[in-house]
Amino acid sequence: MPARRVFAWEPEEQWTSSEEREKKIEELSRELDESMDSNSGKGCLKAYLVKNEVWHIADIDYELRVDYRKYLKSTYSDSVVRSYLRGMDKAKLYAIRKHANTLKGKQEIAKNTDLIHELLFLPYHPNPAIAERYDCKVAIDKLVWDFRVNGSELCKRQLLEIIEDVVLRDIMLRECTMRLNGLKVVYQFCMQEHIEDLRYITQVQADKLEKYADTAYAKELAERELRECQKYLFCHAKNILWDSTVWYLERLHLEQYRVNPSNPVKKFSFMGIEKRENREILQEYMKYCLGVTHLAMSGIQAEFYRILAFVMWMEKETAMELKLASEIEIKKYFQIIELKEASYFNDIVIAIYQLYEYLQTKEIIDRIPFRYEYYLKKEIHCHNNRSVEMEIYERILRELKNFPEIPRLILLHSMLIGLRISEVCTLKGDAYSWQGRDAWIQVYQMKMRTYKRVPIPDVLYKIMKRYLEKYHIGSEDYVFQNKRGGAYQYGSFKWQMKELFNKRQDIFKGYDFKSHDFRHTIATLLYDDEVPLQSIRDYLGHDYEEMTQQYVDFMPKKISAANQEFFKKGENSLASGIKKCKRGK
């Protein structure tokens, strides 16, 4: 009886299996008909999938693709192999799109939790927007990411999120590929160096990145992408990550009056501080500076760099925590920077003192370890003649027509009315006006946090009105714009001017362009025309006349000449009051 049952049952199972196999082949054929053209190797792919018992095109993965390529190369030419592989990729993309429209597919795209444990091939990514970005015409190795290697899951998840963001961005395919190349090196570096979290990388760790780049260009790409990773994670975090080793200030939404749009402070990097305790102290102090003091970002940045240099020196030379430093260590640091200019030296002393004053207020230390008054140097202001010689000044005016339009107009503002370049770069469309018989310009002064209104030459007014009409610049638009419509960058202007003057050394031989020199020139010309010093101060937007005196380059000579002229007269001679008389009378 059992023998008959077995005999009777086995053929039935074989028949059922054969029937199911035919149904699976029929279903596979239907899927291939829906997703592929007849001339893209449909029959060949069907035979291969049936042979390997892959019954749905959704089950195609990268490893199967690699094996299929070997299968094709043994029979067909390279051009046919490429064509048939594109057919396979097209079928897979069809399945991805179809699955993405289901509820389960949408949930998988939203979570993506399994991808950090798999071999990811970007054209087979479950998100069709990512999968269709590449058609595999680029080198395949650039599109394969092996997340199966041992490493931090958090770091893998961070990199996967960044990879997806890069591919989904509206950028040229070439730029996207360059970024992926850089990210490949970053990924290898993170896995090999056991980086747990990209947000907390220190400079010592980052310096090892170059080991994983085989060329200088690859190193440059990788370093840029590491910075982009840090920026993305800081700016896209749900809450501000104050313990990150780099802060990107665009995330903080600071008040506009604290930020110079033409030369913005973009980040604060704590990567150079290795000791976590020291890094946390400086981060807390910078939070205080950003959130409580309401200082301009340029001032906070300057103070940050002064303190950062001190902290890094402390770690390197003493291996001591900031809160444990005594006056002995601090005095030694002051001795090292002794040769710096008095005003700069004093700024460093005060910055370090203010840090320790903050630590005392927060009860992190009992008392400040030094008295800053003891170390301050006496500042002696030396007058430096910075006015542009009239011959050079006139030569520049003649050559302006050969300069690019925006740098030319920015420089013209500085030459004719002595504005700071940062002020010119942030002018708005409503800055120019005509009142009575005079043309005026309204300028926002970053340092003073106020507007000033000064007269301008008629010719400059007419030039700028024509420029505003030509480019349809609105009243609230920046007059001089960068590619994104923001304020023209001071750094871009400075670089362009250096390039232009260097190329024209036959005309400007030996001239070292410095945009601020034209403010000195305007101040000097005004003073030479008997304009009162107080009026020049108001025109330049200074708080104190002492500052204005530093801008009037002929003042020491003029005072000296006036003194000589005064004392040439007999009645003004210092000896005129001396009378001859006999001794004792």
Side-chain angles (χ1 to χ4, degrees):
M1 178 71 72
R4 286 197 300 271
R5 285 180 181 176
V6 171
F7 179 79
W9 176 76
E10 284 181 348
E12 183 179 349
E13 184 185 38
Q14 291 173 2
W15 177 84
T16 304
S17 177
S18 176
E19 185 180 78
E20 287 180 354
R21 181 181 175 84
E22 290 301 320
K23 286 183 178 180
K24 288 178 179 179
I25 293 173
E26 185 179 339
E27 176 66 19
L28 177 62
S29 298
R30 186 182 61 78
E31 290 182 5
L32 291 173
D33 288 339
E34 291 176 354
S35 60
M36 294 180 68
D37 300 326
S38 57
N39 59 350
S40 58
K42 181 167 57 176
C44 184
L45 179 59
K46 176 183 174 181
Y48 174 79
L49 294 177
V50 169
K51 179 182 177 182
N52 288 275
E53 297 187 347
V54 177
W55 306 115
H56 296 284
I57 57 176
D59 296 330
I60 295 173
D61 58 20
Y62 177 70
E63 291 175 320
L64 193 70
R65 186 185 190 277
V66 171
D67 190 67
Y68 182 52
R69 184 173 181 275
K70 292 178 182 177
Y71 169 77
L72 292 173
K73 283 185 75 68
S74 63
T75 308
Y76 301 102
S77 65
D78 289 344
S79 60
V80 174
V81 170
R82 288 193 295 270
S83 176
Y84 283 12
L85 282 173
R86 281 197 292 272
M88 183 186 208
D89 296 334
K90 187 177 179 181
K92 176 65 176 179
L93 182 58
Y94 174 84
I96 291 170
R97 286 171 175 160
K98 188 174 181 180
H99 184 64
N101 289 325
T102 65
L103 179 61
K104 183 181 178 182
K106 291 175 182 178
Q107 291 174 342
E108 288 177 358
I109 292 172
K111 292 181 179 179
N112 270 355
T113 52
D114 294 335
L115 292 180
I116 61 170
H117 304 292
E118 299 176 357
L119 181 67
L120 174 63
F121 183 47
L122 288 179
Y124 291 177
H125 192 285
N127 185 342
I130 295 175
E132 62 194 15
R133 186 76 160 92
Y134 282 95
D135 60 1
C136 303
K137 289 181 181 178
V138 298
I140 294 299
D141 62 309
K142 301 178 189 300
L143 309 178
V144 180
W145 297 78
D146 192 355
F147 287 107
R148 300 171 302 182
V149 299
N150 292 328
S152 165
E153 287 198 7
L154 174 59
C155 188
K156 288 181 183 179
R157 194 174 295 113
Q158 290 171 340
L159 283 165
L160 175 61
E161 184 179 345
I162 292 165
I163 291 166
E164 292 173 340
D165 177 74
V166 168
V167 177
L168 288 172
R169 286 193 178 189
D170 185 20
I171 56 178
M172 297 291 289
L173 190 62
R174 181 174 177 272
E175 183 182 351
C176 184
T177 304
M178 286 171 56
R179 292 206 58 186
L180 290 177
N181 290 344
L183 283 168
K184 261 295 177 63
V185 180
V186 173
Y187 176 68
Q188 185 182 3
F189 154 74
C190 290
M191 296 301 104
Q192 294 293 327
E193 297 296 332
H194 307 291
I195 302 298
E196 292 294 326
D197 193 330
L198 283 166
R199 296 169 296 186
Y200 307 127
I201 286 181
T202 64
Q203 193 59 52
V204 171
Q205 291 174 317
D207 288 341
K208 298 176 182 177
L209 181 63
E210 63 179 276
K211 293 194 306 183
Y212 301 92
D214 51 4
T215 64
Y217 179 64
K219 177 189 172 185
E220 182 183 341
L221 287 180
E223 289 174 344
R224 188 185 74 173
E225 286 311 314
L226 179 58
R227 293 192 295 270
E228 289 295 324
C229 288
Q230 292 172 309
K231 181 178 180 179
Y232 177 88
L233 294 172
F234 186 82
C235 293
H236 288 79
K238 186 176 181 181
N239 299 310
I240 296 176
L241 302 170
W242 294 109
D243 56 348
S244 297
T245 51
V246 185
W247 295 354
Y248 288 88
L249 302 190
E250 66 184 65
R251 170 68 194 271
L252 305 184
H253 306 294
L254 298 163
E255 300 91 334
Q256 288 187 356
Y257 69 83
R258 302 176 68 186
V259 180
N260 181 355
S262 70
N263 191 22
V265 178
K266 296 181 179 179
K267 65 180 181 179
F268 288 144
S269 175
F270 304 88
M271 290 176 64
I273 305 175
E274 286 296 316
K275 287 184 177 292
R276 183 172 58 84
E277 297 82 0
N278 290 341
R279 188 163 61 244
E280 288 175 351
I281 284 175
L282 185 52
Q283 286 172 334
E284 286 298 319
Y285 181 61
M286 294 314 298
K287 280 172 64 177
Y288 161 76
C289 291
L290 291 170
V292 178
T293 64
H294 294 282
L295 295 171
M297 294 312 301
S298 56
I300 294 176
Q301 183 189 47
E303 184 167 352
F304 170 72
Y305 283 137
R306 291 166 192 147
I307 296 173
L308 180 65
F310 168 66
V311 176
M312 291 174 65
W313 176 85
M314 282 282 294
E315 289 193 344
K316 182 180 179 181
E317 299 297 330
T318 69
M320 186 178 291
E321 292 182 28
L322 276 175
K323 62 184 179 182
L324 301 177
S326 67
E327 186 169 9
I328 296 173
E329 289 79 32
I330 296 172
K331 182 179 180 180
K332 186 177 180 181
Y333 180 70
F334 290 158
Q335 289 172 343
I336 290 173
I337 63 171
E338 179 73 26
L339 296 178
K340 292 187 180 294
E341 183 183 356
S343 61
Y344 185 62
F345 177 88
N346 291 344
D347 288 340
I348 295 173
V349 172
I350 292 172
I352 295 172
Y353 176 81
Q354 288 174 337
L355 171 66
Y356 279 101
E357 190 176 40
Y358 168 80
L359 296 181
Q360 185 186 41
T361 304
K362 299 291 286 186
E363 298 182 349
I364 296 173
I365 59 175
D366 295 328
R367 66 181 186 85
I368 301 172
F370 71 103
R371 293 185 63 86
Y372 76 93
E373 302 95 332
Y374 176 77
Y375 296 96
L376 292 180
K377 293 182 179 181
K378 184 176 181 180
E379 297 183 28
I380 301 174
H381 296 287
C382 298
H383 192 92
N384 298 313
N385 291 334
R386 292 187 56 180
S387 291
V388 180
E389 295 179 9
M390 290 311 298
E391 183 183 350
I392 296 292
Y393 187 91
E394 292 171 359
R395 204 176 294 170
I396 293 173
L397 283 176
R398 288 195 298 268
E399 287 295 317
L400 273 179
K401 63 181 183 294
N402 299 319
F403 288 11
E405 186 175 33
I406 291 181
R408 176 175 74 236
L409 294 177
I410 292 175
L411 182 58
L412 194 61
H413 281 74
S414 182
M415 293 182 69
L416 297 184
I417 52 181
L419 294 182
R420 299 179 182 92
I421 296 301
S422 60
E423 293 173 347
V424 182
C425 289
T426 54
L427 288 171
K428 294 292 185 73
D430 60 355
Y432 308 90
S433 62
W434 189 277
Q435 186 175 355
R437 294 183 296 176
D438 300 316
W440 297 80
I441 189 171
Q442 180 174 269
V443 182
Y444 182 72
Q445 297 178 284
M446 294 297 303
K447 289 187 175 181
M448 310 303 169
R449 298 184 187 176
T450 185
Y451 284 94
K452 73 174 181 181
R453 194 163 171 265
V454 296
I456 60 174
D458 294 357
V459 64
L460 181 61
Y461 175 82
K462 293 175 182 177
I463 290 172
M464 292 313 301
K465 277 298 180 182
R466 185 173 296 179
Y467 175 84
L468 296 175
E469 292 172 3
K470 177 181 177 181
Y471 294 104
H472 309 289
I473 295 172
S475 60
E476 291 301 315
D477 298 332
Y478 287 111
V479 174
F480 305 110
Q481 301 177 6
N482 59 30
K483 292 180 180 179
R484 296 183 295 275
Y488 200 79
Q489 297 296 290
Y490 168 74
S492 298
F493 169 79
K494 184 178 178 180
W495 179 83
Q496 284 180 303
M497 286 294 106
K498 289 284 186 183
E499 286 287 304
L500 288 167
F501 281 103
N502 287 338
K503 288 179 180 178
R504 290 172 169 80
Q505 278 298 306
D506 55 326
I507 301 174
F508 304 104
K509 189 174 182 180
Y511 173 62
D512 183 17
F513 173 79
K514 294 177 182 176
S515 60
H516 213 68
D517 290 353
F518 293 104
R519 279 176 66 79
H520 288 253
T521 306
I522 293 296
T524 301
L525 290 173
L526 290 173
Y527 188 75
D528 206 37
D529 285 342
E530 308 296 334
V531 177
L533 193 63
Q534 187 173 4
S535 297
I536 300 174
R537 183 200 72 182
D538 295 339
Y539 183 85
L540 295 179
H542 292 156
D543 275 343
Y544 308 104
E545 287 187 12
E546 289 79 6
M547 174 62 75
T548 308
Q549 289 174 5
Q550 297 298 312
Y551 279 71
V552 180
D553 291 337
F554 297 154
M555 179 175 280
K557 296 179 182 178
K558 196 165 186 176
I559 292 173
S560 177
N563 283 339
Q564 291 180 14
E565 187 67 27
F566 178 81
F567 288 116
K568 277 181 181 179
K569 299 177 181 179
E571 65 272 18
N572 296 330
S573 173
L574 293 175
S576 63
I578 301 175
K579 296 181 180 180
K580 291 183 179 180
C581 62
K582 293 182 179 180
R583 184 175 293 179
K585 292 186 179 181

